[in-house]
Each structure stands twice: as structure tokens, then as C-alpha cells.
Amino acid sequence: MLPPPPPPATSLSRRTLLLAGSGATAGLLLSDATAAGRPATTPAPTPPGEKIVSSITTRDGVSIYYKDWGPRDGQPVILSHGWPLNADSWESQAFHLASHGFRVVTHDRRGHGRSSQPWDGNDMDHYADDLAQLIEAVDLRGVSIFGFSTGGGEVARYVGRHGTGRVAKLGLISAVPPQMVKSPTNPGGLPMEVFDGIRAASIADRAKLYLDIASGPFFNFNRPGAVPSQGMIQSFWMQGMLAGHKNTYDCIKAFSETDFTADLKKFDRPTLIVHGDDDQIVPIDAAARAAKALVPQAELKVYAGAPHGLTDTHKQQLNDDLLTFLRG
């Protein structure tokens, strides 16, 4: 007779369980590959004396996690993620660009993913300053910076606060600038009630909110004839739940109410703007088309029928466009 199983480890956090689950899945896949006679992929050895660093500490004591893919001497690219996600949301583009010789750095914004969850500082100024410190710490020069959704706001505020001295090119992908909320100076924006509703839903049942967003408007799985991907839905949910509750709550104000008009007027590098014309999260007229008016030299690419989450649904089209833009 088998002994009874040990009691559950109630001290484990949700964050730990999610990360452990991801590791267990990877272990099972590796075992399956070995059993099938396929060679397991072995990472290239680290050169002697080279230290692999995956985080920096900001001047206000926040740990920012990042990934650094591709050859170290490749042309540098930074990809800044959306709410409530993390660097993993860019993995298709990061893999594609790194495979073509670019050095790709993706980071988890403060309060998101594997970075610290500070109670304060969850605003665009701090996000932009964190990005500047990461660029300086990794010593990236001639870097091309792309921001998705909220990340587009981070990139715009970075330019506004820190200039383009280290920047080669810029990109706004399904991005929130110039401003999301409706106001006297932004009559085409979304009513404040929309964002109040997101805040209320976050307080009431954050896990359900993320499932509802991913199952519906983020990927347009609520459109007639759409075939939902449970993988995309679960990935969105897992990334959201790894983020801090207070951090994601505060970030709603940051991405919706911040006015990036003055920041966009400082864009003086080649700029690519990509947006879906069926984006239910960040409607194209008040976002990409308004941003194009403020950055007239920018190239605007409109993806017909594309949703907000086009980094997944239209990933190959976006991968090709990013590569073409970077090589141009």
C-alpha cells in the first residue's frame, strides 16, 4: 500500500507556482524529445570569464529583468511590452530578429513579469527612466526601440525625457500614443468610464478580467467566425497573473491618461507605426493615425482586419515588416 501524499506546500506563492509549472512543462517536453530519439538542444557554453546578467537595479532600487538574445555584436533592438504582459509577449519577434543577426533586448516593465513590484512609481516617467537605465547599463548605442501598446507610451516618454542620442530608429506597434482617454483636447478618445470599468473589474476579479480580455477583444476572438487559440489566451492570462496587482492597477491610469503629444513631436528618427484597423482595445483613429499626424515622417502600416494583439495573430507579417524596416 502506498503512503499518503505529503500535504500541499501552502507557503508557495502564485508567482512561484506559475513559474514552476512552466519549468515542469519544459522538462516534460525535453523528456519526450529524448524518448523519441531526438537530440536535446544544449545551450552554447558561456565563454570563460563572461558573466551572464539578467537584471539591473534602478536608482530607486527596482530590479528590472531582461533577456538579451542574438549576437552581442549585432545591431541592437529593444522591444517594450504591453499591459499586463511581459517580455515573453515579444518572443516571436525577438526570436525572428535575433535569428537574423540582431541583438534583441526585451525587458519586464517594473511591476510586471519577473521584475520587482514596487508600490510606487508605476507611471510613464518611471517606466521611461527605467528603460533609459537599462539602455545605459547594457551600453546600447544606435538602438532601435519598438513599443507595443503601453510599451509605445514608454518609448514615446523615453524620447521625451531622454532624447534620441542613443537611438537609430523607433517603432509604435498597436501603441497607445498620443492619448487614449477622451478629453477636451482629445475628443476622439475613449470615455473615462471605459477605464473605470477596467479598474473595477481588476479589483473584483483580476484573473477573470484577463481571461475575458484575451478571450474576446484583445485577439478579436469575439468576432464572428473567429477560432480562439487557447494557447494565446492562457499565455496572456499567465503573463498577467505574474504581474503585481497594484502595479497593473496603477498602469491603467498610466497608459490611458498620459498625454504623449509633446513626446511624439520630439521623434527625429525613422519611425514605423503599425496598427490593425479592427483594434478594439486601442482604436486606430485616435492612436496610430493621430500619431502619424504628429510624426509626419513616420511610415504607417495598417493591417486590414487585425486586432490589438497582432504580435501573435499577425506575427509573420509583423516579423517581416520589422526586419525590412530595420534593414532599410
Side-chain angles (χ1 to χ4, degrees), residues 5-304:
T10 56
S11 62
L12 290 178
S13 67
R14 178 186 71 247
R15 185 184 181 92
T16 303
L17 289 170
L18 287 169
L19 291 170
S22 300
T25 301
L28 288 172
L29 292 174
L30 181 62
S31 298
D32 290 345
T34 303
R38 300 192 301 271
T41 302
T42 302
T46 302
E50 181 176 336
K51 183 179 180 182
I52 300 300
V53 180
S54 59
S55 68
I56 66 164
T57 301
T58 66
R59 285 185 285 273
D60 61 343
V62 176
S63 175
I64 301 294
Y65 170 89
Y66 69 92
K67 303 179 187 182
D68 193 344
W69 290 4
R72 294 299 178 268
D73 60 351
Q75 180 182 336
V77 176
I78 281 187
L79 305 175
S80 178
H81 66 82
W83 175 94
L85 307 173
N86 59 50
D88 295 349
S89 63
W90 275 113
E91 65 180 14
S92 295
Q93 290 70 44
F95 183 83
H96 183 75
L97 296 177
S99 297
H100 282 83
F102 290 85
R103 180 182 183 181
V104 185
V105 175
T106 55
H107 64 292
D108 292 356
R109 184 173 299 115
R110 64 166 58 205
H112 296 68
R114 291 139 293 202
S115 292
S116 297
Q117 298 183 3
W119 187 256
D120 299 311
N122 304 298
D123 56 70
M124 284 295 167
D125 287 354
H126 280 85
Y127 298 159
D129 292 351
D130 292 347
L131 177 58
Q133 291 173 70
L134 174 61
I135 291 172
E136 292 165 5
V138 186
D139 195 23
L140 301 180
R141 299 177 188 274
V143 62
S144 296
I145 313 176
F146 297 87
F148 169 78
S149 194
T150 298
E154 178 180 297
V155 171
R157 184 51 52 92
Y158 168 83
V159 172
R161 287 174 69 83
H162 300 278
T164 55
R166 287 178 176 258
V167 178
K169 297 182 179 182
L170 296 161
L172 301 173
I173 315 299
S174 301
V176 300
Q179 189 176 19
M180 285 196 72
V181 72
K182 184 177 182 179
S183 70
T185 57
N186 186 40
L190 296 171
M192 181 64 77
E193 289 76 17
V194 171
F195 306 106
D196 287 341
I198 298 173
R199 276 184 281 264
S202 181
I203 293 295
D205 191 339
R206 189 166 72 109
K208 182 178 184 300
L209 170 65
Y210 297 159
L211 281 177
D212 289 346
I213 291 173
S215 301
F218 192 87
F219 299 111
N220 282 3
F221 290 152
N222 57 344
R223 292 305 196 205
V227 180
S229 163
Q230 291 304 312
M232 289 183 192
I233 293 169
Q234 291 172 27
S235 178
F236 183 104
W237 178 86
M238 183 177 71
Q239 290 179 55
M241 295 308 294
L242 281 174
H245 186 13
K246 172 67 158 52
N247 310 98
T248 53
Y249 183 88
D250 287 354
C251 190
I252 297 167
K253 178 181 178 67
F255 73 65
S256 64
E257 298 182 38
T258 305
D259 186 349
F260 301 101
T261 301
D263 304 306
L264 292 176
K265 290 179 178 179
K266 295 181 180 180
F267 276 40
D268 59 359
R269 296 290 188 267
T271 301
L272 175 66
I273 301 175
V274 176
H275 218 98
D277 66 5
D278 194 23
D279 189 326
Q280 300 179 68
I281 303 293
V282 182
I284 187 172
D285 287 338
R289 289 183 175 132
K292 165 66 175 173
L294 293 167
V295 190
Q297 76 276 14
E299 177 185 5
L300 171 61
K301 284 185 172 291
V302 178
Y303 287 10

